Amino acid sequence: VSESLAGLSIQAPLVVSLPRTLAFGVGVFERFLDQLASGAASRIFILTAPPTLRHAEAVASRAGTAGKRVEIWSDIVAEPSVRTFAAAADSASKLAPDLVIGLGGGSVLDVAKLVAALWQSPSEIDASFGIGKLAGRTTRLACIPTTAGTGSEVSPNAILLDERENLKKGVISPHLMPDESWCDPALTLTVPASVTAAVGMDALVHCIEAYANRFSHPMIDAWAIEGVRLIASSLKQAVLKGDDLDARSRVMLGALYGGMCLGPVNTGAVHALAYPLGSEFKIAHGVSNSVLLTQVLAFNLPAATRKYADIAVAMGVERGASDAQTAERGLAHLKRLSKEVGIPQSLAEVNIPRDALHRMASAAMTVTRLLDRNPRTVTLEDAIRIYQQAYSC
Ligand SMILES: NC(=O)c1ccc[n+]([C@@H]2O[C@H](COP(=O)([O-])OP(=O)(O)OC[C@H]3O[C@@H](n4cnc5c(N)ncnc54)[C@H](O)[C@@H]3O)[C@@H](O)[C@H]2O)c1
Ligand SMILES: [Fe+2]
């Protein structure tokens, strides 16, 4: 491996966008309700999913009492596709909202972000995939996450499955940054253990892939490494004892930091190789990432040794005789963590047929916007080998 990971220097220009209002903490959902009632919005479109419907109804009830028109759309049952987006946008266009609220996991938030930007012209979705393709957004957007995972509430990204090509595609645009994000850990108390584990691992991967990234930057490193520390120290407790609000809060703050890394730095090969598991086999995003994590990191290790050693130490691993040994211990720690929180460990365990690996590798190679950021160059042959290693590890 001839490359080594330098990242950007402290002098490199960096532009960070965040919501104008970013609230975090137990009880901020109530504050959101208070300010909504007295706010200027008059037609409010709320997107949510069945498990979080009662919170959306609380929003609707408070806004309705204040004389506002409100519609709730709750038809998001899995990770969203272009068709899901089109149905939501169609429903929104009947209300012509001046405020869109996404209240749910990353699946809901991503659709809400796109609906806010495109409800007047939903057919533009196809031309919007990629970086910086959205013309703008005139409808206000508020996001209220109910999982501690994607960080979509602070990222300029939205991911949809394009069923026509069976590919997960991203819209990346500053116009997708919400105006307001309200992160209340109490809303995550009802997330089932298996979902807590998967979305928490996704958040951990955001932090790891941003910290050890060709475009890593000292300012973002601070969020990323703190996110690693928070999630690694508390995810197991949040999974095993779901009513521990302190553990839930720590994981949610870690996930928020992970999300804050996505705009300025973004992720790498773990995410790129994970996408085909979601698009073709409908494996949940967090599980897809987690099942590939240690194999991709082992591949990257020679190009990111020091950064991976830092990550290991942030996870509480004792330093070894060298960075390489510390980094190896970190990989073992990650493997143990994903086992302890009950996540499948191999591609075989999530029922991927062995003959799909070549096809998945070709699909992953199209995700150049992330592969370009990975600390080590990934070729098609490398991708196939990584999938093979993850097959029955
Ligand atoms: N925009 C971004 O920056 C970004 C980053 C990473 C991932 N993503 C995308 O986000 C999606 C995944 O989002 P996710 O991991 O949050 O999962 P999710 O939104 O699909 O939620 C997982 C499950 O948990 C349920 N749920 C959500 N909140 C709950 C609560 N409080 N109580 C009980 N159940 C609850 C959901 O209804 C769903 O069934 C994927 O499509 C992925 O590609 C986006
Ligand atoms: Fe992710």
Side-chain angles (χ1 to χ4, degrees):
V1 183
S2 55
E3 304 132 281
S4 77
L5 183 64
L8 300 179
S9 86
I10 202 162
Q11 295 175 15
L14 181 78
V15 178
V16 178
S17 296
L18 287 172
R20 195 154 15 117
T21 300
L22 176 55
F24 179 89
V26 175
V28 299
F29 181 54
E30 275 301 319
R31 289 207 200 177
F32 168 75
L33 295 178
D34 291 342
Q35 61 98 48
L36 180 70
S38 58
S42 60
R43 294 177 312 283
I44 304 174
F45 190 72
I46 309 172
L47 294 101
T48 194
T52 46
L53 188 55
R54 70 190 168 91
H55 299 305
E57 284 167 350
V59 178
S61 150
R62 188 74 73 91
T65 308
K68 299 163 191 303
R69 271 189 67 193
V70 186
E71 290 282 335
I72 297 178
W73 194 85
S74 61
D75 287 351
I76 301 179
V77 288
E79 295 190 4
S81 64
V82 175
R83 206 176 299 138
T84 320
F85 157 76
D90 182 54
S91 182
S93 68
K94 294 182 180 116
L95 178 70
D98 52 7
L99 171 65
V100 168
I101 300 174
L103 191 158
S107 298
V108 166
L109 301 189
D110 282 5
V111 178
K113 287 159 72 169
L114 291 169
V115 165
L118 287 174
W119 65 264
Q120 285 126 316
S121 51
S123 62
E124 281 172 29
I125 186 70
D126 284 330
S128 305
F129 288 120
I131 300 173
K133 305 270 178 62
L134 271 183
R137 169 168 63 81
T138 51
T139 307
R140 270 184 52 217
L141 170 64
C143 283
I144 305 169
T146 64
T147 59
T150 66
S152 178
E153 67 278 7
V154 285
S155 89
N157 310 352
I159 315 289
L160 292 181
L161 168 67
D162 188 340
E163 314 86 333
R164 294 155 296 188
E165 294 171 49
N166 231 2
L167 278 182
K168 278 190 120 175
K169 295 184 177 174
V171 180
I172 322 290
S173 164
H175 304 301
L176 291 184
M177 183 59 70
D179 298 299
E180 316 167 16
S181 286
W182 302 78
C183 312
D184 191 331
L187 298 189
T188 69
L189 287 170
T190 50
V191 181
S194 61
V195 177
T196 303
V199 302
M201 288 304 286
D202 179 33
L204 183 57
V205 177
H206 294 161
C207 297
I208 292 173
E209 291 209 287
Y211 188 76
N213 191 294
R214 277 196 189 155
F215 293 83
S216 67
H217 185 284
M219 178 175 152
I220 308 305
D221 283 356
W223 289 335
I225 204 75
E226 185 57 17
V228 168
R229 195 171 286 125
L230 285 162
I231 298 168
S233 69
S234 300
L235 182 60
K236 190 172 154 193
Q237 175 73 357
V239 170
L240 300 182
K241 203 167 173 311
D243 61 353
D244 185 334
L245 192 51
D246 190 52
R248 292 282 194 183
S249 302
R250 290 171 62 85
V251 176
M252 194 176 208
L253 184 57
L256 181 64
Y257 284 144
M260 286 157 68
C261 298
L262 293 176
V265 176
N266 220 339
T267 57
V270 181
H271 271 75
L273 268 68
Y275 280 145
L277 277 68
S279 32
E280 191 173 346
F281 299 101
K282 311 292 174 278
I283 312 290
H285 177 74
V287 174
S288 307
N289 277 307
S290 186
V291 82
L292 295 171
L293 177 62
T294 49
Q295 299 301 338
V296 176
L297 298 198
F299 169 80
N300 284 345
L301 198 145
T305 314
R306 191 186 58 75
K307 286 274 186 150
Y308 286 172
D310 292 348
I311 288 167
V313 171
M315 292 192 299
V317 167
E318 206 180 310
R319 270 196 192 282
S322 63
D323 280 348
Q325 193 182 40
T326 311
E328 292 279 3
R329 286 181 183 175
L331 297 201
H333 185 85
L334 281 170
K335 190 88 189 150
R336 213 161 35 240
L337 177 63
S338 83
K339 248 187 216 151
E340 285 171 349
V341 298
I343 299 221
Q345 297 295 305
S346 69
L347 295 181
E349 218 179 312
V350 292
N351 298 319
I352 306 274
R354 206 180 248 288
D355 63 13
L357 303 189
H358 282 68
R359 191 165 70 241
M360 282 161 47
S362 301
M365 292 312 287
T366 68
V367 193
T368 50
R369 70 182 174 87
L370 299 180
L371 289 175
D372 290 350
R373 306 184 158 254
N374 195 58
R376 187 174 168 191
T377 301
V378 181
T379 65
L380 179 67
E381 292 68 37
D382 294 329
I384 293 169
R385 203 168 324 111
I386 291 168
Y387 283 136
Q388 281 166 345
Q389 283 161 349
Y391 192 78
S392 51
C393 51

